[in-house]
Amino acid sequence: MARGDRHPARRPMSDPADDRLVGELPLADAPVAAAVVSDGDTVAVSGFGGVGYPKAVPPELAERASLTIVSAGGVGGEIDETLVESGAMDRRAHFQTRSAVRSAINGGEVEFFDRHVSQFGDELRFGQGLEVDVAIVEAVAVGEGWFVPSTSIGHVPSLVRAADRLILEVNRAQPLELTAVHDVYERAAPPAREAIPIDAPIERIGESRVAFDPDDLHAVVETEAPDDPYTFRDPTDVDRTIGEHLGEFLAAEATTNPLLEETVSLQFGVGSMGNALMGALSDIDFGDREVIYFGEVFQDGLLDMLDSGELAGASATSLALSRDGQQRFFAEIDRYVDDVVLRPADLSNNPALIERFGVVGVNSAVEVDLYGNANATHVGGTRMVNGIGGGGDFVRNCRLSIVALPSTAAGGDISRIVPMTPHVDHSEHDVSVVVTEHGVADLRGLSPRERAETLTEVAHPSFRADLEAYRERAGRGGGHTPHDLETAFDWHVEWGR
Amino acid sequence: MARGDRHPARRPMSDPADDRLVGELPLADAPVAAAVVSDGDTVAVSGFGGVGYPKAVPPELAERASLTIVSAGGVGGEIDETLVESGAMDRRAHFQTRSAVRSAINGGEVEFFDRHVSQFGDELRFGQGLEVDVAIVEAVAVGEGWFVPSTSIGHVPSLVRAADRLILEVNRAQPLELTAVHDVYERAAPPAREAIPIDAPIERIGESRVAFDPDDLHAVVETEAPDDPYTFRDPTDVDRTIGEHLGEFLAAEATTNPLLEETVSLQFGVGSMGNALMGALSDIDFGDREVIYFGEVFQDGLLDMLDSGELAGASATSLALSRDGQQRFFAEIDRYVDDVVLRPADLSNNPALIERFGVVGVNSAVEVDLYGNANATHVGGTRMVNGIGGGGDFVRNCRLSIVALPSTAAGGDISRIVPMTPHVDHSEHDVSVVVTEHGVADLRGLSPRERAETLTEVAHPSFRADLEAYRERAGRGGGHTPHDLETAFDWHVEWGR
């Protein structure tokens, strides 16, 4: 099919009062729009934090073969269940959160690769490993050569630039007021790339709209399907205890750390642990300091603090709220938009901005080893969970980098403080502090041998003797970072049985 | 001893014609200057890439006890041999290259910790893990409240800010013309930190001098001792073959990668491999593109290309030249200074600049695993080599990140492509291309299982069958990143015996 043939008939602007479809646009039903996707295509979709993904067109691709599906963050079952179960998906990048696609990845049916969020916008834009054929993007409004993203931005500007063909889904279930949340700013290409002209975390430097080449637009599809966002478990006692330790540590740190003298810029990782810790923020005594959130996801835990005025503002790339949180946000969106800004992911996660604002990052992990190396992606070193996402952007670039995790998993049968992690996402050079329900291990300035002692103290008591036995055994061989490679994975081997 | 007592008598400006000692300065002999250092002090020294370190005062500290010695990069034997052999050094950060200190670290006599070069300037300045008592810095000229660094800058500005007391060594063996090489720019503290106002790799934005509080200056010591710089082995046949593969890859990449359309900004890691590859650069056909070096060390390999005009300029934080290279550079320093700029290490290695200029980085490693994880610091996972240094800054932030290494070590007995690395400095999420003398493994866009296949092809032929057997064994357990944890380190265990 020649490229021109794929354009559905243009519909003249039929309702000048419709502020979601502005001008002459190639409206189409989802099946017609889907016709522009061929077997073997690389299809990039919007969506980050489980929201803002296209919902109507992807299921129409279920009968295609050998598709590569690209998303910056978590997307819905219309993509990561439907296209997996039908066998349409052969390859997947760069992050996923649904069990269907996770099983296929670990089972070898889908080839998956993940990169740091801050980097793969550029990698898509400049063709490093992936050439994008079609972008399918959810919007709240579309015009001739522009659209307004919906509940997340992620790498939408880069996806659109990289793609040969564009399909937009205008979702009337997403409030048009989201227009005021977005701050879309696109950077020049290296080597003439400019410094990012943001002087403060909540400053806006761009506009609400993403621009595109009208010739690339093949179809605009109308939908009213709600997001199927993440659900967060209620905070457990362990979460609450971790939150208390973290709060005490941060409150003390704020009084001694010159970086936190006037402002505390915080980031929390995606998920239930991050959400629980965001919720515990309001219990921390930061004195007169201004508290700001500079992260990649805005989760439910921040809403109360915004409501109470304890949080001065939030910068993210996704409103990764639960359904309840979304309803709460949408109901008073006009009030929230002044304090919440969504940016493209290459800005929300940008190393330069994380550094400039002196962000304190709190991220979780599957496990941490005795020396501070963290595994955030692979259970047992082999089975992918979600992907690195933006965790590495923050753990690596924050001026104070904290990993918070329960000391055990599997009801206490598995220690999350281990002799050696069989996968490393955040290295010992990046992690400064580890918090569990048993306390705070401040690793700053400590050698690996000293870190091992400190980290043993925040392990669960039932595993400490074994960790000490490992350290004793490993220490016999000497070395800066003592290990006994014959027994380093004994626990993992046992747990894997 | 009260602080005031430590100031040696000030000498009035005795020779107005001495452009190295300008104004009234507290001149002292090394033993007198050394008196301001007490047992237990944390002493930060200048030096990066084995050059620009203080040579007179450190040996006078040999009888002190429990010192913590901090340097941004490699320094001379006056520090890392003398103070280790005398037992004065208890702790060491953040990088070292001498066998005496390395043995003490691995033997447990010295506690060492390393952090990314781009980050620990801030960590020193803001007191994250280390409080600096005394800074000892080599300079080519000193005045009242300013000095000009010598053959390296490293984190000198941050060390000086962090320290309570300052000792300067004015080294008349280092040419005063180095003044024209330096571009010292200091940034504001977060959260009001500004974007770095550099628009091009060789642009100068600062000045030659580092400012200090005259009240902090306790002594100025005159020396004439030359640097004891790195020595580079002559390129081996393997180095040359790696250089050829790399050259072919880069020349092809330049024609297809939009980031390299007009300019190729390159970085090479510290050491003989990096130096050999820098030397091979002139054989690469980059067409009409401007070639620029943006890295942390300027090594001998770049001199020929500067001489021939093939290299438009170089930005680094250290003139890490061999003795011959240093003589060559010094002899025609007036000619070189236009094209070579030295910056503080938090700028030379800054993630934002590496990204903005679209740098292509070529770094080495001890070993790389089947999935692209690289170990750059620990032999056998336990024995420290030099430290992470700036490798992680470039591997992580370059827009194209290449790891180049021989396929074997120990005369061919040890494979550098291994099933699993027992230490990870650069994760699978960071490494894009691996080059050995057996070819180029382009990992971009590949899943871990696909990477393993590609990386096996660049392993030494004598190890490929074993790697394939490992993949087969690991694959039985399934998973996104197949491993057999019971045998993943079989090679390392055998090599350690």
Side-chain angles (χ1 to χ4, degrees), chain B residues 207-263:
Chain B
E207 44 192 286
S208 298
R209 298 173 171 187
V210 176
F212 61 85
D213 179 348
D215 287 343
D216 290 345
L217 182 64
H218 280 250
V220 176
V221 178
E222 294 179 77
T223 74
E224 288 187 287
D227 282 323
D228 180 16
Y230 296 161
T231 52
F232 303 114
R233 59 169 163 72
D234 287 332
T236 63
D237 286 347
V238 167
D239 293 339
R240 273 187 284 267
T241 309
I242 293 172
E244 284 164 21
H245 288 312
L246 178 68
E248 283 164 26
F249 172 78
L250 286 176
E253 185 74 14
T255 65
T256 59
N257 189 327
L259 291 171
L260 310 180
E261 203 169 329
E262 291 173 9
T263 307

Side-chain angles (χ1 to χ4, degrees), chain A residues 182-483:
Chain A
H182 298 306
D183 186 48
V184 177
Y185 175 86
E186 290 189 72
R187 307 167 71 199
R193 173 166 279 181
E194 76 287 7
I196 304 168
I198 300 184
D199 294 321
I202 315 303
E203 186 183 351
R204 288 168 199 271
I205 57 169
E207 45 192 285
S208 299
R209 298 173 171 185
V210 175
F212 62 84
D213 179 347
D215 287 343
D216 290 344
L217 181 64
H218 280 251
V220 176
V221 178
E222 293 179 78
T223 74
E224 288 186 287
D227 282 322
D228 181 15
Y230 296 162
T231 53
F232 303 116
R233 60 170 164 70
D234 287 331
T236 62
D237 286 347
V238 166
D239 293 340
R240 271 187 286 267
T241 308
I242 293 172
E244 285 164 20
H245 289 311
L246 178 68
E248 283 164 26
F249 171 80
L250 286 176
E253 185 73 14
T255 65
T256 59
N257 189 327
L259 290 172
L260 310 181
E261 205 169 327
E262 291 173 9
T263 306
V264 181
S265 297
L266 288 160
Q267 172 265 345
F268 290 91
V270 185
S272 291
M273 167 67 75
N275 190 52
L277 295 176
M278 286 186 206
L281 252 186
S282 54
D283 296 330
I284 305 177
D285 180 11
F286 283 121
D288 294 336
R289 289 168 191 81
E290 184 180 63
V291 179
I292 288 172
Y293 182 79
F294 189 85
E296 66 178 35
V297 291
F298 181 91
Q299 295 190 184
D300 293 37
L302 295 175
L303 285 170
D304 285 338
M305 276 190 79
L306 266 189
D307 287 349
S308 68
E310 290 164 292
L311 189 68
S315 166
T317 197
S318 165
L319 295 172
L321 298 159
S322 69
R323 190 154 291 176
D324 285 351
Q326 218 180 42
Q327 282 170 1
R328 192 172 151 191
F329 190 92
F330 288 174
E332 299 195 73
I333 190 163
D334 289 335
R335 189 165 61 79
Y336 286 119
V337 293
D338 285 342
D339 298 324
V340 178
V341 55
L342 291 192
R343 310 180 183 286
D346 34 22
L347 272 75
S348 65
N349 287 41
N350 194 278
L353 298 184
I354 296 168
E355 176 214 83
R356 262 196 249 160
F357 302 141
V359 178
V360 176
V362 184
N363 290 276
S364 198
V366 172
E367 58 194 350
V368 173
D369 82 8
L370 284 171
Y371 303 109
N373 298 285
N375 168 19
T377 55
H378 284 73
V379 171
T382 59
R383 295 187 302 289
M384 168 56 59
V385 185
N386 299 327
I388 182 82
D393 296 324
F394 289 95
V395 173
R396 172 65 196 274
N397 295 295
C398 278
R399 294 301 92 168
L400 177 57
S401 191
I402 300 167
V403 171
L405 77 176
S407 70
T408 64
D413 290 344
I414 286 178
S415 177
R416 288 176 183 265
I417 309 290
V418 298
M420 177 182 265
T421 57
H423 191 86
V424 176
D425 297 288
H426 315 310
S427 87
E428 50 143 349
H429 313 288
D430 302 342
V431 177
S432 293
V433 176
V434 175
V435 183
T436 75
E437 75 274 25
H438 296 289
V440 176
D442 188 344
L443 310 178
R444 290 175 292 181
L446 300 187
S447 72
R449 290 179 291 257
E450 294 166 334
R451 280 179 237 153
E453 191 178 335
T454 304
L455 278 162
T456 303
E457 290 166 11
V458 302
H460 192 278
S462 64
F463 292 101
R464 286 181 205 166
D466 277 358
L467 288 171
E468 275 159 24
Y470 180 81
R471 285 168 48 207
E472 201 278 320
R473 198 159 65 239
R476 279 181 227 148
H480 174 60
T481 304
H483 269 302

